Amino acid sequence: MSTLGIVTPKAMHFASPLALQSGASIADYTLVYETYGTLNADHSNAVLVCHALNASHHVAGIHIDAEGRKTTGWWDNMVGPGKPLDTDHFFVIGVNNLGSCFGSTGPMHNNPATGKPYGASFPVVTVDDWVHAQARLADALGIEQLAAVMGGSLGGMQAMAWSMLYPERIRHCIVVASTPRLSAQNIAFNDVARQAILTDPDYHSGDYYAHGVVPRNGLRVARMVGHITYLSDDDMAEKFGRELRSGAYQFGYGIDFEIESYLRYQGDKFSEYFDANTYLLITKALDYFDPAREYGGDLTRALAGTKADFLLVSFSTDWRFAPERSREMVTALVNNRRRVTYAEIDAPHGHDAFLLDDERYMNVVRSYYHKVRRDLALNAAAARAMTSETA
Amino acid sequence: MSTLGIVTPKAMHFASPLALQSGASIADYTLVYETYGTLNADHSNAVLVCHALNASHHVAGIHIDAEGRKTTGWWDNMVGPGKPLDTDHFFVIGVNNLGSCFGSTGPMHNNPATGKPYGASFPVVTVDDWVHAQARLADALGIEQLAAVMGGSLGGMQAMAWSMLYPERIRHCIVVASTPRLSAQNIAFNDVARQAILTDPDYHSGDYYAHGVVPRNGLRVARMVGHITYLSDDDMAEKFGRELRSGAYQFGYGIDFEIESYLRYQGDKFSEYFDANTYLLITKALDYFDPAREYGGDLTRALAGTKADFLLVSFSTDWRFAPERSREMVTALVNNRRRVTYAEIDAPHGHDAFLLDDERYMNVVRSYYHKVRRDLALNAAAARAMTSETA
């Protein structure tokens, strides 16, 4: 049960163009965001929570849409009063990324240059682009330095990118179930998903909005294949095994096994609310993230300019972004003499574990935020001491 | 280089109906097969090689098609004169399974009852059905008992099924990179592949032959996702890593990474020669194989009636059918006091390793066939002794 109650998204418009990593730029754009808790007097208690592929700015609390449907935030177990990221102490910001389909400017919005939806012409954005856009939002909210940036999976990549792009503006970087780069296998799964969408006749080269259709079949297959990679083999075996829906083989192409029923349902549901162009865009942002690339693959050098303290968390059965990937980051940070806390949680739920309740995981994050609060208090005391010495 | 030279497929027609596990039956059918080596006088040296999802009766040697194209058999490194399965000593049979698309009766052939292609109405066949059809072929070739039945992956399931369905007719059972049942994750990947085909508008409920099209996009995606599961994560990283095809990110939905190029190529190639209805059928045969099912999940009881000796081989990086699955079979066979040889090969190539050259793997199989020959020689000597005693 959410303890934050009803939350309301806000929107901020940015009129100056944003230059993108691709060389393109977005003339002007809107970011939709939510905030929870109260920004303190010295604006030092802000935490930015970055979302993964299919999530949004609606991190916690309950949103009521125009039709009266209630939706609980995707990390409501993590964020709220008394929760590990405690909104009684922190001012938490959730922001929908550029190119996503939950309110911020994206492919389904009109391109001011043409008056028609961007569609596939929406520029391919990267994790770095998102971080620059988020930094502008922080500026607009009067936040010079974030107490922490936190995210899981693709959200963790954004937190990592913050530590490199804005080292002075982030005190703590919390990276959960993430990776410093996608493997060939990760990219392969993403490309299968993209091919399913791109070859769906209803995709219409990305201009399906004008045709009054969506590439539902492609999106459905994309989500099904993605979903398999979020769960562990063991967890699937435990939850579904070879259970038959009707007790006997059907000898046809309908549903035999419970796992088929579950996956198709997930695919159907997803294809009803998610935008196909956004799916393409975001998988590309995942594929492209690779901060070590411009340092000849040397992650230690890539992280040399960071100043934050780090918490990294990985999950034993996550085969999408396995613990080895987190350990690689830990090693690179330790090589740079950064302060790093690392927890490898023995959890059965695969990649999805980062969204689920697990006492040890929640306690690790809770403890870390206690440390963040102590750090902020010490920093404020030091600042006061400086001021009184100066006075 | 093939040492068998040019080989020519044969066809055998079966006029009496075959009752299928589903309750349906096939009125009459043709099996296409190849043989290599010479059947000995007492017909004791025959080895049946069973094929996996996308392969055929063309196990070894070189086939020249009507257009003059040469194709080497899919297990030519394993089967031939002087090879691990040595055709100087054994009479080897490769047979295309019912429902496949390489000559044996399948969905693209006319249903005699309607005069039109079966399409999706071709009955769903199972591993057991294939084995019964193969047994009829052995009958027709005058082979009462097979020296061995051998297969990898889905082919290994057929070898296992032989040992249970025809315990008196198989002396040795060789099961490579296989499993006694698909896991929920295996089924999930198969269902993604099926959904990609079934929702392709060119599928036309399986009657695409009449429309002059094939569901190429669906087949392509199906193959791409399947192919990922055949390779190990490490092998993909080694072969492709994050190599870019043109040295820089393209910021579009064309090909950025070499792995994308490779997978799309594999998908394209496959969609040009493989039949979509066959793909659906064969993935169902995979999903349904579960001999322990009618014994409440007890594999030991399922294997209690077997009489053969067994060789099982698995590969360390095979995450599709992991070594654990082979070990489970070994345990169940040992519980039944069967003679079992088991080799777990440390190989980097994932599931595909069963098709590749690996000295240790080839030597294990070679040694085992030496044992098969000794067994046959002893058996023949015993039979002669019996005869002279009787005389």
Side-chain angles (χ1 to χ4, degrees), chain A residues 194 256 260 284 287-288, chain B residues 194 242 256 260 284 288:
Chain A
R194 282 191 293 264
D256 272 297
E260 297 173 312
K284 272 297 181 189
D287 289 1
Y288 285 164
Chain B
R194 283 190 294 264
R242 295 181 52 86
D256 272 296
E260 297 174 312
K284 272 296 180 188
Y288 286 164

Side-chain angles (χ1 to χ4, degrees), chain B residues 172-184:
Chain B
H172 296 270
C173 178
I174 304 181
V175 178
V176 184
S178 193
T179 176
R181 79 187 71 77
L182 261 60
S183 69

Side-chain angles (χ1 to χ4, degrees), chain A residues 80-93:
Chain A
K83 300 206 173 155
L85 173 43
D86 190 340
T87 51
D88 288 340
H89 298 281
F90 291 102
F91 176 68
V92 177
I93 308 159

